[in-house]
Amino acid sequence: MQKNYLPFDDEYFDKIAEDAFDPEAEIHVFSDRYQKRKVKLMKKNTENNNRKPVMTKKRIAAVAAAAAIAAAVPTSVFAGSRIYNAFMDKPAKYQREITIDLGEPTEAAPLSADAPVIDSGVYTMKIGWVPEDLSEDNDKSFFACYSRYDIDDWRAVEFSFFQIDDESRTFNETLNGVVYDESYETDDKIVFISDLGDGRIVIWVAFKNTKYVANILAMQDFTDEELHKMADGLTLEESDTETASSYKVYKEYQEKLRQELAEPADNTDEWTEPKVNMDNMKVISVGETAGVTWDDVDITVNSVKFQDNFEGITTEGIGLEYDFSKYLDADGTLADNVRTWYKYGDGVNTIDEAVETEIMPARIMVVDLTYENKGSEEIEYCVCPSLITIDDEGNVVYPFIRDNMYCEDSLSHLTYDNHHFSFYTEHESSKNNIASFKPGEKADVQLAFIVYEDELSDLYLQMNSYGNNMSDSVDNGCLFLDISSLSK
């Protein structure tokens, strides 16, 4: 299943549209890195149809690799009549097609007493088993996600629940980039498991002789046993209310998204970041307090230090406790980043191929800041500085982008979108926001970032963002901390 879908019911679609066109809605400003990356991702999706996740989020470890098989689950077919059938085909080396056919409507008389009759009852889905180390996450990542369990974004599983409509009575999913697949049947289910080779494991579960189907998206380090137990643990329970999302609506959204991605945006391929006028950059120093008039919050940079271990760092990016020991070498110091470059495959007859590897020495940068609410109202303030690389000529540098290739970093869990990997404050907080921030109050915040030795000479910490691109931010008074001057 492609990671770029948002399954939802009609009510969710209406809410999305309402929010999108509400004149009172909050304006979201996206980073320059995001804008640049979006162009590349859109181009990748339209050219390759291989739907890798934006998550450079860890290509979440693969489940097992065994011989790929295109398994078809046998079901009797009576002459002149369609009955319930579910199977997987292999049209190409790395492509799989899953089909579920509900057969004739229940009103049609079966031609044999042995022919299964589709149960037209209303059911909800129960999740019977998830790994003990995962906890339910109510802040679900997709609309109509039935339930999500995770430790963080890198070890997570999402369950979705669909109903096949009575009009088409068919289900069809095409998966590209499949490096391993498995199918099996139980008394009440037919299970299709596909490893997409980038860490996503997609499981479709057909509840036999019903209109219902479930999806499990597992990300990183799930064993075969865990995958089977999650799939086998799903059950249906009679319900007075329909809780399944419409598979028809989900498919319509996928098709609409595919068409939109296929339409070239104006000057998309030629989009380049304009040069930054370095003379307009407002660079602050350690110990300096810089007022931010737009949101009436002052920021003081108290200290910046560099270290080669996680001493004093115990929380992750939204303030939750976290153990960083897995990122250390045997000597207790931060492991080097391994950057691997991949050439795109088409996901059908070829898959993405690693073509180059770089070893990048890394350091941890710890920044202590004080935020002060200078306004007259209580607010919730987002603490979201980000690293940006700007060369001497004012060019914004994107070292992770090359033509027709993409890269993955072994430390990317800690560097996603160039933001901090650790957030800590004793003030009331919500994720990485200072919550209930009253007028006149101050909040001390500690952030930790991963920085690479070879990029320090052109590195800045962008304290806030104004406008839609880096030039706007510079011209409108965005604050920058020059990291190169501190790292020597």
Side-chain angles (χ1 to χ4, degrees):
M1 180 178 62
Q2 291 79 4
K3 181 64 178 172
N4 59 1
Y5 85 87
L6 300 176
F8 50 78
D9 290 319
D10 293 341
E11 62 180 289
Y12 291 96
F13 183 86
D14 293 339
K15 184 64 169 63
I16 295 169
E18 177 184 338
D19 290 345
F21 297 103
D22 183 0
E24 301 298 323
E26 177 183 358
I27 297 174
H28 297 279
V29 178
F30 295 95
S31 67
D32 301 286
R33 181 178 185 270
Y34 171 89
Q35 303 283 3
K36 185 77 171 180
R37 189 166 215 173
K38 177 181 175 183
V39 171
K40 293 296 181 180
L41 289 167
M42 289 179 66
K43 183 176 180 182
K44 175 180 179 179
N45 276 312
T46 54
E47 289 185 352
N48 301 285
N49 192 32
N50 195 14
R51 305 295 194 245
K52 278 192 170 295
V54 178
M55 344 179 272
T56 45
K57 309 179 165 190
K58 297 347 27 113
R59 321 323 166 160
I60 336 164
V63 170
I69 58 171
V73 178
T75 304
S76 300
V77 179
F78 295 84
S81 176
R82 290 165 46 233
I83 63 174
Y84 187 95
N85 197 16
F87 57 91
M88 177 187 285
D89 281 332
K90 180 180 177 180
K93 185 174 182 180
Y94 298 107
Q95 189 175 64
R96 302 294 182 271
E97 288 186 355
I98 301 170
T99 301
I100 302 173
D101 187 347
L102 298 187
E104 300 295 342
T106 53
E107 307 82 53
L111 298 183
S112 167
D114 296 327
V117 176
I118 297 297
D119 184 343
S120 59
V122 177
Y123 293 88
T124 188
M125 183 176 72
K126 297 298 181 183
I127 299 171
W129 186 89
V130 293
E132 291 183 356
D133 63 320
L134 303 184
S135 58
E136 188 167 11
D137 182 357
N138 292 323
D139 186 17
K140 298 163 185 168
S141 62
F142 294 119
F143 294 101
C145 174
Y146 193 82
S147 193
R148 174 185 171 96
Y149 297 82
D150 59 27
I151 295 177
D152 50 32
D153 285 337
W154 321 121
R155 177 165 163 83
V157 59
E158 290 179 353
F159 297 84
S160 298
F161 185 41
F162 299 98
Q163 58 168 316
I164 303 172
D165 66 286
D166 287 333
E167 182 179 355
S168 68
R169 302 186 66 76
T170 57
F171 166 104
N172 183 265
E173 284 292 313
T174 299
L175 299 173
N176 291 336
V178 178
V179 297
Y180 164 74
D181 69 78
E182 175 188 357
S183 302
Y184 65 91
E185 183 175 2
T186 67
D187 290 341
D188 61 344
K189 289 184 284 288
I190 302 169
V191 180
F192 305 99
I193 300 176
S194 299
D195 176 0
L196 302 190
D198 56 13
R200 293 171 295 157
I201 309 300
V202 176
I203 304 176
W204 285 103
V205 179
F207 294 96
K208 290 197 292 189
N209 302 321
T210 76
K211 63 181 178 180
Y212 293 106
V213 59
N215 175 261
I216 303 174
L217 176 62
M219 297 174 282
Q220 187 175 22
D221 294 338
F222 286 90
T223 66
D224 287 331
E225 181 182 9
E226 288 176 325
L227 295 173
H228 283 230
K229 290 177 73 172
M230 286 189 291
D232 295 346
L234 297 180
T235 58
L236 295 182
E237 183 177 287
E238 290 187 4
S239 174
D240 295 330
T241 305
E242 183 62 78
T243 60
S245 300
S246 166
Y247 179 70
K248 179 181 178 181
V249 172
Y250 154 65
K251 291 295 285 185
E252 288 174 348
Y253 181 84
Q254 274 196 321
E255 177 59 23
K256 182 179 179 180
L257 180 62
R258 187 193 66 78
Q259 291 177 358
E260 289 177 351
L261 290 175
E263 295 175 0
D266 293 340
N267 300 321
T268 293
D269 291 337
E270 289 75 33
W271 185 90
T272 56
E273 172 66 39
K275 287 188 176 182
V276 171
N277 186 340
M278 304 289 282
D279 293 334
N280 290 345
M281 286 185 64
K282 185 175 182 180
V283 180
I284 62 175
S285 303
V286 173
E288 181 180 355
T289 297
V292 187
T293 57
W294 180 63
D295 43 26
D296 292 324
V297 173
D298 279 355
I299 303 175
T300 302
V301 181
N302 299 315
S303 66
V304 177
K305 64 179 180 179
F306 296 85
Q307 56 192 63
D308 61 4
N309 56 44
F310 293 94
E311 183 178 350
I313 301 172
T314 59
T315 59
E316 47 99 276
I318 58 173
L320 301 178
E321 293 294 319
Y322 196 82
D323 179 7
F324 293 100
S325 60
K326 60 185 175 183
Y327 301 108
L328 297 175
D329 277 334
D331 63 358
T333 61
L334 177 66
D336 290 339
N337 181 58
V338 180
R339 176 168 292 176
T340 304
W341 289 93
Y342 292 87
K343 180 175 67 176
Y344 294 119
D346 62 15
V348 178
N349 297 303
T350 60
I351 55 176
D352 297 0
E353 176 186 2
V355 295
E356 184 182 339
T357 298
E358 301 176 54
I359 304 298
M360 304 172 63
R363 297 166 71 183
I364 295 171
M365 181 178 73
V366 179
V367 183
D368 287 312
L369 305 162
T370 296
Y371 291 81
E372 182 178 2
N373 183 359
K374 304 290 284 188
S376 59
E377 297 181 359
E378 180 177 314
I379 61 175
E380 182 165 318
Y381 189 81
C382 177
V383 177
C384 45
S386 62
L387 296 169
I388 188 77
T389 304
I390 307 175
D391 66 19
D392 292 337
E393 297 179 355
N395 298 305
V396 179
V397 180
Y398 298 92
F400 52 86
I401 292 177
R402 293 183 186 176
D403 289 339
N404 301 315
M405 288 198 295
Y406 68 94
C407 69
E408 296 179 356
D409 289 346
S410 61
L411 294 181
S412 59
H413 290 191
L414 305 180
T415 61
Y416 187 64
D417 209 25
N418 282 347
H419 285 290
H420 56 266
F421 68 83
S422 177
F423 167 88
Y424 175 78
T425 181
E426 293 186 356
H427 192 281
E428 182 180 348
S429 61
S430 173
K431 296 189 175 179
N432 58 311
N433 295 337
I434 302 173
S436 302
F437 201 16
K438 297 178 176 58
E441 266 195 325
K442 292 184 179 181
D444 293 327
V445 176
Q446 182 188 81
L447 303 177
F449 301 80
I450 295 294
V451 295
Y452 298 129
E453 297 280 6
D454 294 342
E455 299 174 1
L456 285 173
S457 60
D458 296 320
L459 195 62
Y460 293 85
L461 185 63
Q462 183 179 357
M463 306 302 297
N464 46 22
S465 179
Y466 300 133
N468 294 320
N469 57 47
M470 181 58 65
S471 294
D472 288 343
S473 289
V474 169
D475 293 337
N476 286 288
C478 180
L479 308 178
F480 293 87
L481 181 67
D482 185 358
I483 303 302
S484 62
S485 64
L486 305 172
S487 59
K488 298 174 183 177

